[in-house]
Amino acid sequence: MKTASISAFGGPEVVMLNTASPCQPAGDEALVRIEAASVNPLDLKIIAGYMQPVFPIALPYIPGTDFSGVVHSVGEHVKHLKPGDRVFGRSAPTAGGAFAQQLTIAATDLCVIPASMSFEQAAALPTAFGTAWQALFDVGQLAGGQRVLIHGAAGGVGSMAVQLAHMAGAYVIGTASARNIALLTSLGADEVIDYRNQDFTSLRDIDLVIDTIGGPTLESSWPTLGVGGRIATLVEFDIEPRDGHAGDAVFFASATPFLQKAVRGFSAGQLQVVTDAIFTLDEARAALEKVATGHACGKVIIRTAH
Ligand SMILES: NC(=O)c1ccc[n+]([C@@H]2O[C@H](COP(=O)([O-])OP(=O)(O)OC[C@H]3O[C@@H](n4cnc5c(N)ncnc54)[C@H](OP(=O)(O)O)[C@@H]3O)[C@@H](O)[C@H]2O)c1
């Protein structure tokens, strides 16, 4: 099978097209013929070697965690899936494997997708949807009627967070470039601040800040909080409470508990998937370079041909 793999740490340029032996599913696994994968900033951090203390990988390594595809075969203990089922899921970062034509994964980590959901849409969801949900509701404790400020609202996680917060009845303020304002408004943002030309720091009485950017953006967010307000950051793991406000890091460990929720939101017509660009597996390096710009709008997809 064809893969896009690395045998050294570095930038997207270390990703090489390769071949690997076809996989066989163990007793509790499924072998998935991958149709699409999505790229996450985490993939770049892993191939750069930055994540070795947290998610140690062995080389050679096939990057990619989020994928969709068709079940090819299942191990003897798997009863809830069968060959031909359309599925999506997320492999552990230490395992990777999504930038390839096939992968094996524990069958319990897969979720069947409806016919109305394309493989590209499904592959976009696991990390972006799950992280947005975890940040808003598990860490952020967002409730209806509250004011939430979402930084990086046009990104993979941000575009999901805007929709989920809107569905929960929150007043949603996003930061993004001017070119993404109309999109975010259509996704449910009540206000969009063009962070390049407008100052979000004059905002007040924010109940929850979702920080996907860190650095000065995180630092400048504290004064926007109202009484009981909190920050949930995806990028600064040493955050501490300040001035009576909670500050918590989001550590997205597993997409599995969120997959059904994503399917339900999509099937109900409440959730759109924003796609920036679709590349082929042969173009995996270019797909990673696109995400490395830090300015992808929604998700970057890799479509796998067979
Ligand atoms: N802790 C965890 O478990 C966890 C989980 C998932 C993701 N993450 C991290 O969260 C971050 C975001 O992930 P992602 O997938 O959403 O990334 P992404 O899709 O690459 O985000 C790109 C977006 O960031 C926006 N952006 C860049 N600079 C900005 C700024 N100063 N202010 C506001 N928006 C800005 C861009 O908007 P414009 O193009 O409009 O400029 C673009 O739409 C990454 O660092 C990722 O590794 C962490």
Side-chain angles (χ1 to χ4, degrees), residues 213-271:
I213 307 296
T217 300
L218 170 58
E219 188 60 29
S220 303
S221 294
W222 290 103
T224 69
L225 295 173
V227 176
R230 56 178 55 230
I231 295 180
T233 176
L234 277 54
V235 290
E236 303 268 357
F237 291 96
D238 53 359
I239 188 170
E240 290 188 351
R242 189 184 295 184
D243 301 332
H245 298 300
D248 295 297
V250 177
F251 186 82
F252 183 62
S254 171
T256 307
F258 302 100
L259 298 177
Q260 281 292 352
K261 285 187 176 73
V263 167
R264 278 198 294 274
F266 182 89
S267 298
Q270 296 170 315
L271 200 63

Side-chain angles (χ1 to χ4, degrees), residues 41 45 131 152 154-157 177 179-180 195-196 234 250 252 294-296:
K45 296 172 189 177
T131 305
V157 176
S177 300
R179 67 175 184 282
N180 292 322
Y195 70 88
R196 295 172 197 260
L234 277 54
V250 177
F252 183 62
H295 296 288

Side-chain angles (χ1 to χ4, degrees), residues 95-129:
F99 299 171
Q101 288 179 311
Q102 301 179 348
L103 64 63
T104 52
I105 188 166
T108 49
D109 286 333
L110 293 171
C111 176
V112 171
I113 57 175
S116 59
M117 185 184 274
S118 71
F119 288 119
E120 291 89 341
Q121 289 167 328
L125 284 166
T127 295
F129 178 93

Side-chain angles (χ1 to χ4, degrees), residues 39-45 55 90 127-128 131-132 134 150-159 174-180 184 193 195-196 200 211-214 217 233-237 249-253 290-300:
V39 182
N40 288 291
L42 176 62
D43 303 322
L44 288 157
K45 296 172 189 177
F55 300 123
R90 177 184 188 257
T127 295
T131 305
Q134 188 175 331
I150 300 171
H151 290 303
V157 176
S159 59
T175 60
S177 300
R179 67 175 184 282
N180 292 322
L184 292 171
I193 295 177
Y195 70 88
R196 295 172 197 260
F200 75 82
D211 168 45
T212 68
I213 307 296
T217 300
T233 176
L234 277 54
V235 290
E236 303 268 357
F237 291 96
V250 177
F251 186 82
F252 183 62
K290 177 77 193 180
V291 173
T293 65
H295 296 288
C297 178
K299 296 293 295 182
V300 171

